[in-house]
């Protein structure tokens, strides 16, 4: 086989103007390829890091969002190095080793069928890249405190801050509402959060499975009936609005199940909370007592709210709804729907 | 089998497939409920008087036992089985809803509060209210349905009716003259721009379905529809 290839002369330079005066000197392809790859990959990475990267979703509204943005950027930088190398090699091969019109079909020489050195370098490099991506992804999943994902009813990680603001996210077909135990258990259709604050989203549902996706906050947590799915985020100093969407197909109006939240200053937040608490007081008293999951049948004829008197606005999360003595509320409609607020 | 026979079979199957696709498409297109237009029902700039009813049993159509909104036509005053209504933009809409269905506590009492209306209030049988405690409504019948437009932040709870009354409506369209009902009135202003604004009932009223949220709750024209605002 190799003899045939050799006899066709395609392991050497093809016949050309220098034919008859000796074979044309083969250029150093690896140096050429390396130089092109180095320039393209470095330029691409620099452009991405300094120009595109700061605008990559989900942005920098929270520490968790910033962590996700960093992950995306790092993975892009790494993948661009690989992609640019493959594309440059492909383009170079198409051009450099193309068939000449009317000439014989190009075939590879012995080195093209097997090269232990190249194979070893390739396998080692790709293995190292995959292992590095695995380690990076695993570490990053832990370091930014779970990256804002729903961590279930018993998170393995909790903020050490003693000023975590709890907000209950209640999903139902087809709207999100939000309950603030900090403000007497009021329930609103608007999600307003303060800047530079640890926030614990307690995500639950009162019917089917939904998903709370606060895009720019880097939060995405499943909303399951009778489950308190906790997701922690720390807002940065960036103010503005963010989008909340349901990310679990939940019925005919799933596509319309979205709203917009707002990050405001702490002062504005406290003013909004106090104002809204007063405005909603006439309905809040009929809501079921605050609990970490929302049990519709816990409504009573008179309504009860959790006792949050004497609690600082930014108490530790464990104090919200947890410190009052255990209180059992029995539904007036069904005997099986007894639940306990802790 | 001969070549012509194979060709005949292939063409026959192709014709069947085309027929089924066309049939499904025609049914899909034809299944959308009609739209009641209030665009020219009044003089320009004058308030629109939108009249609706909520029936416990719609009585007609493909699902005669389902609950549904009905919308009254502005000229003939007939209640049409649909939940699509055209409204002029930037206009005051005076709404009257005759509620004929029975009631129960709200699944989420949050929707017991009136929002998005002029003055953040509504009137139940002529009496102004801001909040309905769905476990203790004025007539003790809970809430039958809500009229809620999430994107306009409009929510109005509609009190339920006593099913034991002899004039309780058991088949729509119901008569606000002769049959048991509650009357809820309120007003709101449409946006200044065109758009379709989803409205729905937020008390699960799809009886017999999981969590009450399937059937009429998931079907356009029953307990969900659009305010089609046109500038």
């Amino acid at each position: 086989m190799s003899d045939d290839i050799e006899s066709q002369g395609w392991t050497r330079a093809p016949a050309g103007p220098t034919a008859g005066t000796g074979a044309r000197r083969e250029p150093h392809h690896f140096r050429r390829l390396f130089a092109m790859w180095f320039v393209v990959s470095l330029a691409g990475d620099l452009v991405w890091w300094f120009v595109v990267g700061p605008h990559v979703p989900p942005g920098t509204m929270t520490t968790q969002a910033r962590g996700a943005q960093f992950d995306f950027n790092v993975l892009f930088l790494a993948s661009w190095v690989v992609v640019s190398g493959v594309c440059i090699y492909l383009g170079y091969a198409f051009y450099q080793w193309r068939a000449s019109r009317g000439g014989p079909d190009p075939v590879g020489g012995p080195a093209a069928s097997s090269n232990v050195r190249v194979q070893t370098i390739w396998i080692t490099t790709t293995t190292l890249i995959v292992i590095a991506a695995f380690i990076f992804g695993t570490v990053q999943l832990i370091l930014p405190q779970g990256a804002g994902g729903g961590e279930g009813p018993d998170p393995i990680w909790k903020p050490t801050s003693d000023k975590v603001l709890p907000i209950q996210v209640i999903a139902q077909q087809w709207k999100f509402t939000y309950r603030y135990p900090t403000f007497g258990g009021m329930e609103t259709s608007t999600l307003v959060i303060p800047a530079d604050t640890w926030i614990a989203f307690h995500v639950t549902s009162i019917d089917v499975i939904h998903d709370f996706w606060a895009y720019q906050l880097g939060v995405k947590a499943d909303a399951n009936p009778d489950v308190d799915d906790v997701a922690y985020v720390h807002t940065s100093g960036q103010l503005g609005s963010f989008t909340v969407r349901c990310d679990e197909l939940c019925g005919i109006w799933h596509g319309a199940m979205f709203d917009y939240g707002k990050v405001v200053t702490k002062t504005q937040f406290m003013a909004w909370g106090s104002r809204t608490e007063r405005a909603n007081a006439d309905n809040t008293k009929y809501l079921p007592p605050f609990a970490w999951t929302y049990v519709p049948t816990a409504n009573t004829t008179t309504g009860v709210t959790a006792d949050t008197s004497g609690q600082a606005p930014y108490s530790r999360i464990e104090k919200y709804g947890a410190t009052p003595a255990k209180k059992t509320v029995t539904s007036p409609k069904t005997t099986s729907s007894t639940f306990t607020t802790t | 089998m001969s070549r012509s026979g194979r060709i005949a079979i292939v063409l026959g199957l192709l014709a069947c497939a085309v027929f089924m696709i066309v049939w499904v498409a025609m049914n899909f297109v034809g299944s959308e409920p009609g739209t009641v237009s209030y665009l020219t029902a009044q003089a320009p700039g004058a308030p629109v008087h939108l009249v609706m009813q909520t029936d416990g049993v719609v009585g007609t159509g493909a699902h005669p036992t389902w609950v549904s909104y009905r919308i009254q036509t502005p000229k003939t005053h007939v209640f049409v089985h649909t939940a699509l209504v055209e409204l002029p933009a930037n206009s005051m809409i005076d709404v009257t809803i005759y509620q004929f269905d029975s009631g129960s506590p709200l699944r989420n009492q949050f929707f017991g509060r009136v929002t998005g209306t002029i003055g953040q209030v509504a009137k139940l049988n002529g009496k102004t209210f801001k909040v309905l405690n769905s476990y203790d409504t004025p007539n003790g019948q809970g809430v039958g349905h809500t009229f809620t437009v999430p994107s306009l932040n409009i929510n109005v709870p509609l009190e339920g009716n006593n099913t034991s009354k002899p004039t309780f409506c058991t088949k729509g369209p119901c008569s606000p003259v002769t049959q048991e009902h509650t009357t809820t009135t309120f007003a709101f202003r449409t946006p200044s721009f065109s758009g379709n604004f989803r409205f729905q009932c937020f008390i699960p009223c799809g009886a017999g379905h999981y969590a009450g949220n399937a059937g009429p709750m998931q079907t356009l024209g029953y307990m969900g529809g659009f305010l089609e605002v046109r500038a």
Side-chain angles (χ1 to χ4, degrees), chain A residues 12 35 43 47 59 94 104 113 118 122 202 238 259 278 292 301 337:
Chain A
R12 298 176 182 276
V47 168
F94 280 159
S113 60
V118 170
W122 180 259
H202 291 260
Q238 184 181 340
D259 56 56
R278 284 194 301 274
W292 294 120
T301 53
S337 57

Side-chain angles (χ1 to χ4, degrees), chain A residues 62-65 144-159 164-166 197-202 217-219 221 229-235 317-318:
Chain A
T62 64
T63 304
Q64 287 65 32
Q145 298 91 37
E151 299 172 22
D154 188 20
I156 58 173
W157 179 92
K158 291 181 180 179
V164 177
L165 174 71
T197 303
W198 271 108
I199 294 168
F201 287 112
H202 291 260
L217 301 186
V219 177
D229 195 6
V230 185
Y232 299 109
V233 295
H234 184 265
T235 51
I317 184 172
E318 290 81 7

Side-chain angles (χ1 to χ4, degrees), chain A residues 8 72 90 119 132 137 140 171 181 211 230 239 245 285 300 323-324 340 342:
Chain A
Q8 293 174 30
F72 291 146
L90 198 63
Q119 289 174 341
Q140 283 299 102
D211 190 278
V230 185
L239 308 180
R245 287 188 178 279
K285 63 186 178 186
T300 67
T323 47
T340 302
T342 57

Side-chain angles (χ1 to χ4, degrees), chain A residues 79-109:
Chain A
S79 60
W80 175 247
V81 169
V82 176
V83 169
S84 61
V86 170
C87 291
I88 286 171
Y89 179 83
L90 198 63
Y92 186 88
F94 280 159
Y95 179 78
Q96 185 67 30
W97 296 304
R98 69 190 185 280
S100 58
R101 191 180 298 275
D105 289 340
V107 294

